[in-house]
Short mmCIF file of all heavy atoms in Angstrom, two decimals:
data_model
loop_
_atom_site.label_atom_id
_atom_site.label_comp_id
_atom_site.label_asym_id
_atom_site.label_seq_id
_atom_site.Cartn_x
_atom_site.Cartn_y
_atom_site.Cartn_z
N MET A 24 -23.11 -21.20 27.15
CA MET A 24 -23.73 -20.02 27.10
C MET A 24 -23.79 -19.28 28.42
O MET A 24 -23.71 -20.00 29.40
CB MET A 24 -25.20 -20.16 26.55
CG MET A 24 -25.22 -20.57 25.11
SD MET A 24 -26.87 -20.66 24.37
CE MET A 24 -27.01 -19.01 24.04
N CYS A 25 -24.23 -18.06 28.45
CA CYS A 25 -24.19 -17.32 29.71
C CYS A 25 -25.59 -17.00 30.16
O CYS A 25 -26.00 -15.78 30.25
CB CYS A 25 -23.45 -16.01 29.49
SG CYS A 25 -21.72 -16.25 29.00
N LEU A 26 -26.44 -17.98 30.33
CA LEU A 26 -27.74 -17.66 30.77
C LEU A 26 -27.85 -17.11 32.13
O LEU A 26 -27.37 -17.79 33.07
CB LEU A 26 -28.67 -18.99 30.60
CG LEU A 26 -28.77 -19.56 29.16
CD1 LEU A 26 -29.40 -20.81 29.18
CD2 LEU A 26 -29.33 -18.65 28.37
N GLY A 27 -28.47 -16.05 32.30
CA GLY A 27 -28.61 -15.39 33.64
C GLY A 27 -27.47 -14.73 34.21
O GLY A 27 -27.43 -14.32 35.43
N VAL A 28 -26.25 -14.68 33.47
CA VAL A 28 -25.20 -14.01 33.96
C VAL A 28 -25.05 -12.69 33.15
O VAL A 28 -24.80 -12.59 31.96
CB VAL A 28 -23.92 -14.85 33.66
CG1 VAL A 28 -22.60 -14.15 34.19
CG2 VAL A 28 -24.03 -16.25 34.33
N PRO A 29 -25.09 -11.64 33.88
CA PRO A 29 -25.03 -10.29 33.15
C PRO A 29 -23.70 -9.87 32.63
O PRO A 29 -23.62 -9.08 31.67
CB PRO A 29 -25.45 -9.22 34.27
CG PRO A 29 -25.17 -9.87 35.59
CD PRO A 29 -25.32 -11.50 35.19
N ASP A 30 -22.56 -10.48 33.25
CA ASP A 30 -21.25 -9.98 32.82
C ASP A 30 -20.63 -11.04 31.96
O ASP A 30 -19.44 -11.30 31.93
CB ASP A 30 -20.30 -9.78 33.93
CG ASP A 30 -20.68 -8.55 34.80
OD1 ASP A 30 -21.22 -7.65 34.21
OD2 ASP A 30 -20.37 -8.48 36.03
N CYS A 31 -21.41 -11.61 31.04
CA CYS A 31 -20.98 -12.68 30.16
C CYS A 31 -20.12 -12.18 29.00
O CYS A 31 -19.21 -12.72 28.63
CB CYS A 31 -22.15 -13.48 29.60
SG CYS A 31 -21.85 -14.63 28.33
N GLN A 32 -20.50 -10.97 28.49
CA GLN A 32 -19.80 -10.25 27.34
C GLN A 32 -18.72 -9.42 27.74
O GLN A 32 -18.83 -8.87 28.78
CB GLN A 32 -20.78 -9.60 26.40
CG GLN A 32 -21.87 -10.47 25.92
CD GLN A 32 -22.78 -9.61 25.06
OE1 GLN A 32 -23.14 -8.51 25.31
NE2 GLN A 32 -23.42 -10.28 24.11
N PRO A 33 -17.71 -9.23 26.89
CA PRO A 33 -16.70 -8.20 27.31
C PRO A 33 -17.25 -6.85 27.36
O PRO A 33 -18.28 -6.64 26.67
CB PRO A 33 -15.60 -8.30 25.96
CG PRO A 33 -16.09 -9.51 25.25
CD PRO A 33 -17.45 -9.94 25.61
N GLU A 34 -16.67 -6.03 28.13
CA GLU A 34 -17.19 -4.56 28.41
C GLU A 34 -17.26 -3.89 27.13
O GLU A 34 -18.26 -3.10 26.97
CB GLU A 34 -16.31 -4.04 29.33
CG GLU A 34 -16.89 -2.63 29.87
CD GLU A 34 -16.30 -2.04 31.06
OE1 GLU A 34 -15.72 -2.72 31.83
OE2 GLU A 34 -16.39 -0.81 31.10
N ALA A 35 -16.37 -4.02 26.28
CA ALA A 35 -16.49 -3.24 24.95
C ALA A 35 -17.68 -3.61 24.16
O ALA A 35 -18.35 -2.83 23.54
CB ALA A 35 -15.17 -3.53 24.08
N THR A 36 -18.06 -4.86 24.11
CA THR A 36 -19.32 -5.21 23.52
C THR A 36 -20.47 -4.72 24.16
O THR A 36 -21.56 -4.36 23.55
CB THR A 36 -19.40 -6.76 23.37
OG1 THR A 36 -18.12 -7.21 22.83
CG2 THR A 36 -20.59 -7.35 22.53
N ARG A 37 -20.58 -4.72 25.59
CA ARG A 37 -21.60 -4.24 26.29
C ARG A 37 -22.06 -2.74 26.11
O ARG A 37 -23.06 -2.33 26.16
CB ARG A 37 -21.49 -4.52 27.73
CG ARG A 37 -21.50 -5.97 28.11
CD ARG A 37 -21.68 -6.07 29.69
NE ARG A 37 -20.59 -5.36 30.37
CZ ARG A 37 -19.58 -5.97 31.02
NH1 ARG A 37 -19.41 -7.27 30.86
NH2 ARG A 37 -18.78 -5.28 31.55
N SER A 38 -20.90 -2.04 25.83
CA SER A 38 -21.18 -0.52 25.72
C SER A 38 -21.55 -0.03 24.41
O SER A 38 -22.03 1.08 24.15
CB SER A 38 -19.79 0.16 26.18
OG SER A 38 -18.90 -0.10 25.06
N ILE A 39 -21.55 -0.92 23.46
CA ILE A 39 -22.15 -0.46 22.01
C ILE A 39 -23.65 -0.55 22.10
O ILE A 39 -24.28 -1.57 22.37
CB ILE A 39 -21.65 -1.53 21.05
CG1 ILE A 39 -20.07 -1.38 20.90
CG2 ILE A 39 -22.24 -1.07 19.64
CD1 ILE A 39 -19.39 -2.36 19.93
N PRO A 40 -24.26 0.51 21.84
CA PRO A 40 -25.78 0.60 21.87
C PRO A 40 -26.34 -0.12 20.64
O PRO A 40 -25.82 -0.20 19.63
CB PRO A 40 -26.08 2.20 21.74
CG PRO A 40 -24.84 2.79 21.20
CD PRO A 40 -23.74 1.88 21.62
N PHE A 41 -27.50 -0.73 20.92
CA PHE A 41 -28.21 -1.42 19.89
C PHE A 41 -28.83 -0.46 19.03
O PHE A 41 -29.18 0.62 19.32
CB PHE A 41 -29.17 -2.43 20.39
CG PHE A 41 -28.63 -3.57 21.13
CD1 PHE A 41 -28.72 -3.64 22.60
CD2 PHE A 41 -28.11 -4.53 20.52
CE1 PHE A 41 -28.10 -4.53 23.29
CE2 PHE A 41 -27.54 -5.68 21.14
CZ PHE A 41 -27.54 -5.58 22.58
N GLY A 42 -28.94 -0.85 17.64
CA GLY A 42 -29.55 0.04 16.69
C GLY A 42 -28.78 1.11 16.23
O GLY A 42 -29.13 2.16 15.65
N MET A 43 -27.43 0.96 16.29
CA MET A 43 -26.44 2.05 15.77
C MET A 43 -26.46 1.99 14.35
O MET A 43 -26.36 1.01 13.72
CB MET A 43 -25.09 1.92 16.41
CG MET A 43 -23.99 2.90 15.93
SD MET A 43 -22.38 2.50 16.59
CE MET A 43 -22.64 2.65 18.41
N ASN A 44 -26.68 3.21 13.72
CA ASN A 44 -26.67 3.19 12.28
C ASN A 44 -25.33 3.20 11.75
O ASN A 44 -24.30 3.39 12.43
CB ASN A 44 -27.58 4.37 11.68
CG ASN A 44 -26.99 5.67 12.08
OD1 ASN A 44 -25.87 5.94 12.13
ND2 ASN A 44 -27.94 6.68 12.20
N ASP A 45 -25.13 3.09 10.31
CA ASP A 45 -23.84 2.98 9.69
C ASP A 45 -23.04 4.37 9.97
O ASP A 45 -21.78 4.34 10.20
CB ASP A 45 -23.99 2.73 8.21
CG ASP A 45 -24.35 1.34 7.91
OD1 ASP A 45 -24.08 0.46 8.85
OD2 ASP A 45 -24.81 1.09 6.90
N ALA A 46 -23.70 5.43 9.83
CA ALA A 46 -23.02 6.71 10.02
C ALA A 46 -22.42 6.98 11.42
O ALA A 46 -21.25 7.33 11.52
CB ALA A 46 -23.89 7.89 9.76
N GLU A 47 -23.14 6.40 12.46
CA GLU A 47 -22.56 6.39 13.74
C GLU A 47 -21.44 5.52 13.97
O GLU A 47 -20.37 5.72 14.55
CB GLU A 47 -23.67 6.09 14.84
CG GLU A 47 -24.75 7.18 14.97
CD GLU A 47 -26.04 6.62 15.68
OE1 GLU A 47 -26.20 5.41 15.80
OE2 GLU A 47 -26.65 7.47 16.32
N LYS A 48 -21.55 4.34 13.36
CA LYS A 48 -20.45 3.18 13.48
C LYS A 48 -19.21 3.80 12.75
O LYS A 48 -18.17 3.77 13.32
CB LYS A 48 -20.92 1.97 12.71
CG LYS A 48 -21.83 1.15 13.47
CD LYS A 48 -22.11 -0.09 12.77
CE LYS A 48 -23.20 -0.97 13.40
NZ LYS A 48 -23.40 -2.11 12.64
N LYS A 49 -19.39 4.41 11.56
CA LYS A 49 -18.15 5.07 10.82
C LYS A 49 -17.64 6.15 11.70
O LYS A 49 -16.34 6.25 11.73
CB LYS A 49 -18.62 5.52 9.56
CG LYS A 49 -18.93 4.38 8.48
CD LYS A 49 -19.38 4.97 7.13
CE LYS A 49 -19.64 3.72 6.26
NZ LYS A 49 -20.12 4.28 4.90
N ALA A 50 -18.40 6.97 12.37
CA ALA A 50 -17.86 8.09 13.14
C ALA A 50 -17.12 7.66 14.28
O ALA A 50 -16.02 8.04 14.65
CB ALA A 50 -19.04 8.99 13.56
N ARG A 51 -17.66 6.61 15.02
CA ARG A 51 -17.06 5.98 16.15
C ARG A 51 -15.66 5.37 15.71
O ARG A 51 -14.63 5.53 16.44
CB ARG A 51 -17.84 4.89 16.78
CG ARG A 51 -19.03 5.59 17.57
CD ARG A 51 -19.67 4.46 18.38
NE ARG A 51 -18.91 3.98 19.43
CZ ARG A 51 -18.56 2.69 19.60
NH1 ARG A 51 -19.10 1.78 18.84
NH2 ARG A 51 -17.83 2.31 20.59
N LEU A 52 -15.63 4.60 14.54
CA LEU A 52 -14.43 3.98 14.05
C LEU A 52 -13.48 4.98 13.64
O LEU A 52 -12.22 4.85 13.98
CB LEU A 52 -14.77 3.09 12.88
CG LEU A 52 -13.68 2.42 12.15
CD1 LEU A 52 -12.91 1.57 13.16
CD2 LEU A 52 -14.10 1.66 10.97
N ALA A 53 -13.89 6.06 13.05
CA ALA A 53 -12.90 7.11 12.61
C ALA A 53 -12.16 7.86 13.82
O ALA A 53 -10.99 7.95 13.79
CB ALA A 53 -13.65 8.15 11.81
N GLU A 54 -13.03 8.06 14.80
CA GLU A 54 -12.48 8.65 16.09
C GLU A 54 -11.50 7.63 16.76
O GLU A 54 -10.39 8.00 17.20
CB GLU A 54 -13.65 9.04 17.05
CG GLU A 54 -13.12 9.69 18.31
CD GLU A 54 -12.19 10.93 18.01
OE1 GLU A 54 -12.41 11.60 17.02
OE2 GLU A 54 -11.30 11.12 18.90
N ALA A 55 -11.86 6.38 16.86
CA ALA A 55 -11.03 5.40 17.50
C ALA A 55 -9.73 5.28 16.73
O ALA A 55 -8.66 5.13 17.25
CB ALA A 55 -11.76 3.99 17.43
N LEU A 56 -9.74 5.27 15.33
CA LEU A 56 -8.54 5.32 14.54
C LEU A 56 -7.69 6.47 14.81
O LEU A 56 -6.45 6.35 14.97
CB LEU A 56 -8.90 5.11 13.14
CG LEU A 56 -9.58 3.74 12.74
CD1 LEU A 56 -10.00 3.83 11.28
CD2 LEU A 56 -8.44 2.64 12.86
N ARG A 57 -8.31 7.66 14.91
CA ARG A 57 -7.44 8.92 15.11
C ARG A 57 -6.76 8.77 16.44
O ARG A 57 -5.55 9.22 16.59
CB ARG A 57 -8.36 10.17 15.00
CG ARG A 57 -8.70 10.51 13.64
CD ARG A 57 -9.38 11.90 13.59
NE ARG A 57 -10.72 11.94 14.30
CZ ARG A 57 -11.86 11.57 13.76
NH1 ARG A 57 -11.81 11.38 12.43
NH2 ARG A 57 -12.99 11.67 14.28
N GLN A 58 -7.58 8.34 17.47
CA GLN A 58 -6.90 8.27 18.91
C GLN A 58 -5.81 7.18 18.90
O GLN A 58 -4.71 7.41 19.42
CB GLN A 58 -8.00 7.81 19.75
CG GLN A 58 -9.01 8.84 20.18
CD GLN A 58 -10.06 8.53 21.10
OE1 GLN A 58 -10.16 7.23 21.30
NE2 GLN A 58 -10.84 9.32 21.58
N ASN A 59 -6.01 6.11 18.15
CA ASN A 59 -4.89 5.15 18.08
C ASN A 59 -3.73 5.64 17.35
O ASN A 59 -2.55 5.40 17.86
CB ASN A 59 -5.50 3.94 17.26
CG ASN A 59 -4.51 2.75 17.32
OD1 ASN A 59 -3.73 2.57 18.29
ND2 ASN A 59 -4.57 1.88 16.23
N LEU A 60 -3.95 6.38 16.25
CA LEU A 60 -2.75 7.03 15.55
C LEU A 60 -2.02 7.98 16.52
O LEU A 60 -0.76 8.09 16.51
CB LEU A 60 -3.24 7.64 14.38
CG LEU A 60 -2.21 8.32 13.44
CD1 LEU A 60 -1.26 7.32 12.91
CD2 LEU A 60 -2.83 9.00 12.30
N ARG A 61 -2.70 8.84 17.10
CA ARG A 61 -2.10 9.78 18.03
C ARG A 61 -1.31 9.00 19.08
O ARG A 61 -0.20 9.45 19.43
CB ARG A 61 -3.09 10.67 18.75
CG ARG A 61 -3.80 11.76 17.93
CD ARG A 61 -4.72 12.52 18.73
NE ARG A 61 -5.68 13.15 17.91
CZ ARG A 61 -6.93 12.85 17.91
NH1 ARG A 61 -7.43 12.10 19.00
NH2 ARG A 61 -7.90 13.41 17.07
N ARG A 62 -1.78 8.03 19.63
CA ARG A 62 -1.15 7.19 20.71
C ARG A 62 0.14 6.62 20.08
O ARG A 62 1.13 6.71 20.74
CB ARG A 62 -2.07 6.07 21.26
CG ARG A 62 -1.43 5.27 22.33
CD ARG A 62 -2.37 4.13 22.85
NE ARG A 62 -3.01 3.50 21.87
CZ ARG A 62 -2.50 2.44 21.15
NH1 ARG A 62 -1.27 2.19 21.51
NH2 ARG A 62 -3.18 1.76 20.20
N ARG A 63 0.05 5.91 18.94
CA ARG A 63 1.22 5.36 18.35
C ARG A 63 2.27 6.36 17.87
O ARG A 63 3.46 6.10 18.11
CB ARG A 63 0.76 4.55 17.11
CG ARG A 63 0.02 3.36 17.51
CD ARG A 63 -0.63 2.60 16.25
NE ARG A 63 0.29 2.47 15.15
CZ ARG A 63 0.03 2.46 13.85
NH1 ARG A 63 -1.29 2.60 13.51
NH2 ARG A 63 0.89 2.54 12.95
N LYS A 64 1.87 7.59 17.48
CA LYS A 64 2.90 8.55 17.21
C LYS A 64 3.47 9.01 18.47
O LYS A 64 4.80 9.28 18.51
CB LYS A 64 2.21 9.76 16.50
CG LYS A 64 1.90 9.59 15.08
CD LYS A 64 1.25 10.81 14.43
CE LYS A 64 1.11 10.65 12.97
NZ LYS A 64 0.71 11.85 12.31
N ALA A 65 2.81 9.23 19.53
CA ALA A 65 3.37 9.62 20.81
C ALA A 65 4.33 8.59 21.28
O ALA A 65 5.43 8.99 21.79
CB ALA A 65 2.27 9.87 21.79
N GLN A 66 4.06 7.25 21.14
CA GLN A 66 4.92 6.26 21.66
C GLN A 66 6.20 6.17 20.70
O GLN A 66 7.28 6.01 21.26
CB GLN A 66 4.25 4.84 21.49
CG GLN A 66 3.17 4.57 22.52
CD GLN A 66 2.36 3.37 22.19
OE1 GLN A 66 2.47 2.65 21.17
NE2 GLN A 66 1.69 2.84 23.23
N ALA A 67 6.01 6.48 19.44
CA ALA A 67 7.25 6.42 18.59
C ALA A 67 8.11 7.57 18.95
O ALA A 67 9.36 7.48 18.94
CB ALA A 67 6.81 6.51 17.13
N ARG A 68 7.50 8.75 19.25
CA ARG A 68 8.31 9.94 19.60
C ARG A 68 9.10 9.71 20.88
O ARG A 68 10.28 10.00 21.11
CB ARG A 68 7.54 11.23 19.71
CG ARG A 68 7.12 11.87 18.46
CD ARG A 68 6.47 13.08 18.62
NE ARG A 68 5.23 13.16 19.45
CZ ARG A 68 4.07 13.04 18.89
NH1 ARG A 68 3.87 12.88 17.55
NH2 ARG A 68 3.01 12.96 19.75
N ALA A 69 8.39 9.03 21.85
CA ALA A 69 8.99 8.71 23.20
C ALA A 69 10.09 7.77 22.92
O ALA A 69 11.24 7.84 23.59
CB ALA A 69 7.96 8.20 24.08
N GLN A 70 9.98 6.69 22.02
CA GLN A 70 10.90 5.72 21.93
C GLN A 70 12.14 6.41 21.19
O GLN A 70 13.30 6.05 21.55
CB GLN A 70 10.36 4.55 21.00
CG GLN A 70 11.35 3.49 20.65
CD GLN A 70 11.74 2.72 21.86
OE1 GLN A 70 10.86 2.51 22.85
NE2 GLN A 70 12.90 2.25 22.06
N GLU A 71 11.87 7.27 20.27
CA GLU A 71 12.91 7.84 19.51
C GLU A 71 13.70 8.66 20.40
O GLU A 71 14.99 8.79 20.36
CB GLU A 71 12.38 8.70 18.38
CG GLU A 71 13.41 9.31 17.41
CD GLU A 71 12.76 10.17 16.44
OE1 GLU A 71 12.24 9.51 15.46
OE2 GLU A 71 12.76 11.37 16.39
N SER A 72 13.12 9.42 21.35
CA SER A 72 13.90 10.29 22.32
C SER A 72 14.65 9.49 23.30
O SER A 72 15.78 9.93 23.68
CB SER A 72 12.97 11.18 23.03
OG SER A 72 12.03 10.52 23.93
N GLU A 73 14.29 8.32 23.56
CA GLU A 73 15.02 7.47 24.49
C GLU A 73 16.33 6.83 23.76
O GLU A 73 17.23 6.60 24.46
CB GLU A 73 14.14 6.28 24.97
CG GLU A 73 13.05 6.60 25.92
CD GLU A 73 12.08 5.42 26.37
OE1 GLU A 73 12.45 4.35 25.90
OE2 GLU A 73 11.18 5.76 26.97
N ASP A 74 16.18 6.72 22.45
CA ASP A 74 17.29 6.06 21.71
C ASP A 74 18.31 7.05 21.24
O ASP A 74 19.52 6.65 21.12
CB ASP A 74 16.73 5.53 20.37
CG ASP A 74 15.90 4.27 20.51
OD1 ASP A 74 15.92 3.80 21.64
OD2 ASP A 74 15.13 3.88 19.56
N VAL A 75 18.05 8.32 21.38
CA VAL A 75 19.07 9.32 21.04
C VAL A 75 19.86 9.80 22.20
O VAL A 75 19.28 10.24 23.16
CB VAL A 75 18.33 10.61 20.42
CG1 VAL A 75 19.44 11.63 20.21
CG2 VAL A 75 17.51 10.13 19.22
N PRO A 76 21.24 9.61 22.17
CA PRO A 76 22.02 9.96 23.42
C PRO A 76 21.97 11.58 23.50
O PRO A 76 21.76 12.26 22.50
CB PRO A 76 23.44 9.48 23.07
CG PRO A 76 23.40 8.88 21.76
CD PRO A 76 21.89 8.91 21.21
N ASP A 77 22.28 12.08 24.57
CA ASP A 77 22.27 13.52 24.88
C ASP A 77 23.22 14.30 24.05
O ASP A 77 23.01 15.35 23.71
CB ASP A 77 22.53 13.83 26.39
CG ASP A 77 21.35 13.38 27.26
OD1 ASP A 77 20.20 13.30 26.64
OD2 ASP A 77 21.53 13.07 28.37
N ASP A 78 24.44 13.61 23.70
CA ASP A 78 25.39 14.39 22.99
C ASP A 78 25.36 14.15 21.41
O ASP A 78 26.07 14.73 20.59
CB ASP A 78 26.91 13.89 23.43
CG ASP A 78 27.04 12.45 23.20
OD1 ASP A 78 26.01 11.71 23.03
OD2 ASP A 78 28.25 12.11 23.38
N ALA A 79 24.25 13.48 21.01
CA ALA A 79 24.15 13.19 19.48
C ALA A 79 23.55 14.50 18.92
O ALA A 79 22.68 15.24 19.59
CB ALA A 79 23.18 11.98 19.45
N PRO A 80 23.83 14.66 17.75
CA PRO A 80 23.28 15.87 17.08
C PRO A 80 21.86 15.65 16.93
O PRO A 80 21.35 14.46 16.50
CB PRO A 80 23.93 15.99 15.83
CG PRO A 80 24.71 14.72 15.49
CD PRO A 80 24.80 14.15 16.89
N GLN A 81 21.01 16.65 16.91
CA GLN A 81 19.54 16.60 16.63
C GLN A 81 19.26 16.44 15.09
O GLN A 81 19.83 17.11 14.33
CB GLN A 81 18.75 17.80 17.26
CG GLN A 81 18.99 17.87 18.77
CD GLN A 81 18.26 16.68 19.50
OE1 GLN A 81 17.16 16.34 19.01
NE2 GLN A 81 18.90 16.22 20.48
N ARG A 82 18.26 15.69 14.86
CA ARG A 82 17.85 15.60 13.50
C ARG A 82 17.11 16.91 13.03
O ARG A 82 16.35 17.40 13.86
CB ARG A 82 16.99 14.49 13.19
CG ARG A 82 17.66 13.21 13.05
CD ARG A 82 16.74 12.04 12.55
NE ARG A 82 15.45 12.08 13.01
CZ ARG A 82 14.44 11.37 12.64
NH1 ARG A 82 14.77 10.36 11.78
NH2 ARG A 82 13.16 11.42 13.10
N VAL A 83 17.26 17.43 11.90
CA VAL A 83 16.58 18.50 11.46
C VAL A 83 15.49 18.08 10.35
O VAL A 83 15.97 17.45 9.34
CB VAL A 83 17.53 19.57 10.78
CG1 VAL A 83 16.77 20.84 10.18
CG2 VAL A 83 18.55 20.07 11.86
N ARG A 84 14.27 18.38 10.53
CA ARG A 84 13.29 18.08 9.64
C ARG A 84 13.34 19.10 8.47
O ARG A 84 13.26 20.25 8.70
CB ARG A 84 12.00 18.00 10.27
CG ARG A 84 11.63 16.75 11.03
CD ARG A 84 10.21 16.81 11.44
NE ARG A 84 9.87 15.31 11.52
CZ ARG A 84 8.63 14.93 11.92
NH1 ARG A 84 7.78 15.77 12.22
NH2 ARG A 84 8.28 13.66 11.90
N THR A 85 13.33 18.63 7.26
CA THR A 85 13.16 19.45 6.11
C THR A 85 11.91 19.10 5.38
O THR A 85 11.46 18.01 5.47
CB THR A 85 14.36 19.09 5.18
OG1 THR A 85 14.30 17.79 4.75
CG2 THR A 85 15.80 19.35 5.78
N GLN A 86 11.34 20.12 4.84
CA GLN A 86 10.13 19.94 4.27
C GLN A 86 10.37 19.40 2.67
O GLN A 86 11.29 19.89 2.08
CB GLN A 86 9.34 21.19 4.09
CG GLN A 86 8.86 21.61 5.50
CD GLN A 86 7.62 22.46 5.50
OE1 GLN A 86 7.09 22.84 4.32
NE2 GLN A 86 7.28 22.87 6.63
N SER A 87 9.69 18.52 2.17
CA SER A 87 9.76 18.06 0.91
C SER A 87 9.23 18.99 -0.08
O SER A 87 8.24 19.81 0.18
CB SER A 87 9.06 16.71 0.73
OG SER A 87 7.71 16.88 0.98
N PRO A 88 9.81 19.11 -1.31
CA PRO A 88 9.43 20.18 -2.25
C PRO A 88 7.95 19.79 -2.61
O PRO A 88 7.56 18.72 -2.77
CB PRO A 88 10.33 19.97 -3.43
CG PRO A 88 11.14 18.75 -3.13
CD PRO A 88 11.01 18.37 -1.72
N ALA A 89 7.18 20.86 -2.82
CA ALA A 89 5.80 20.76 -3.24
C ALA A 89 5.83 20.20 -4.72
O ALA A 89 6.50 20.67 -5.61
CB ALA A 89 5.07 21.99 -3.21
N SER A 90 4.91 19.21 -4.91
CA SER A 90 4.68 18.57 -6.25
C SER A 90 3.69 19.29 -6.98
O SER A 90 2.77 19.84 -6.59
CB SER A 90 4.33 17.20 -5.98
OG SER A 90 5.26 16.47 -5.31
#
């Protein structure tokens, strides 16, 4: 146990306020998931642009027909 040691817990755990209600938890989780998705999409775009040689034809995005 970490008796008398203030830095015993990971920082992410220390920053969560006590008494957070369910709505606040859900809002924080939703925002964290959106940020993670944005980061992953940016990484995928960067990886895709690295994989495509300069002389390769560019992909054209087409929209799928509305259902």
Side-chain angles (χ1 to χ4, degrees):
M24 295 189 81
C25 302
L26 299 176
V28 180
D30 290 332
C31 175
Q32 295 179 332
E34 188 167 334
T36 305
R37 287 192 309 253
S38 66
I39 298 173
F41 290 104
M43 183 182 296
N44 65 31
D45 284 340
E47 291 170 335
K48 285 181 185 178
K49 286 181 182 180
R51 286 186 69 235
L52 177 60
E54 180 59 30
L56 290 172
R57 283 190 294 270
Q58 288 177 353
N59 186 31
L60 181 60
R61 285 185 209 114
R62 181 181 48 82
R63 288 176 42 212
K64 283 184 174 183
Q66 287 175 343
R68 284 191 299 267
Q70 181 67 33
E71 186 176 285
S72 67
E73 289 175 4
D74 291 342
V75 177
D77 290 335
D78 59 346
Q81 297 293 321
R82 283 194 319 179
V83 177
R84 284 190 145 175
T85 58
Q86 294 203 0
S87 60
S90 299

